[in-house]
Amino acid sequence: MKSQRQAKIMEIITNRNVETQEQLLKELKDAGFHSTQATISRDIKELRIVKELTSFGTYRYAASTDEVTGTFSGRLNTIFRECVTNFDYAQNMVVIHTLPGLASAAASAIDSMNMSVVMGTLAGDDTVFIVMRDTNAAAAFCGEIKHLVS
């Protein structure tokens, strides 16, 4: 049901100028999907839907044009720039050391990116353990971290 609803949301925002969540809820209801504003809000976040300025000076929902797969989000950039103290990988595992208390934020940011090469994260107080799909993914991920924090 969720995937069907989210597919319908993408169809609606692609074909119509939807300015508000209320309008989106109405369009979904007209299409046979009954949902709440909170659910729609989560869907918008998960689908990375943004508001863009139209030629009429109004705003409308649109699919984000930013490529997010394999790149760091703004939140992750900030977290990594400010709190990563050390990192390394061995085969398909990456270990990231952070300032005390910030490992969960780093792991959460990584998880929220939904990268297909990340199998999962585990965070302690100042350490994040990441299992990647393979050694190449771990090396590439560490390369991106090095570029980011240097």
Side-chain angles (χ1 to χ4, degrees), residues 13-14 16-19 50-52 54 58-62:
I13 67 166
T14 300
R16 296 177 185 84
N17 284 337
V18 178
E19 296 180 34
V50 297
K51 281 200 169 183
E52 69 179 9
T54 68
T58 59
Y59 287 91
R60 67 181 292 272
Y61 284 116

Side-chain angles (χ1 to χ4, degrees), residues 9-26:
I9 289 171
M10 294 304 289
E11 177 186 324
I12 290 168
I13 67 166
T14 300
N15 297 323
R16 296 177 185 84
N17 284 337
V18 178
E19 296 180 34
T20 66
Q21 289 183 10
E22 291 77 22
Q23 285 177 311
L24 186 54
L25 272 169
K26 183 184 179 315

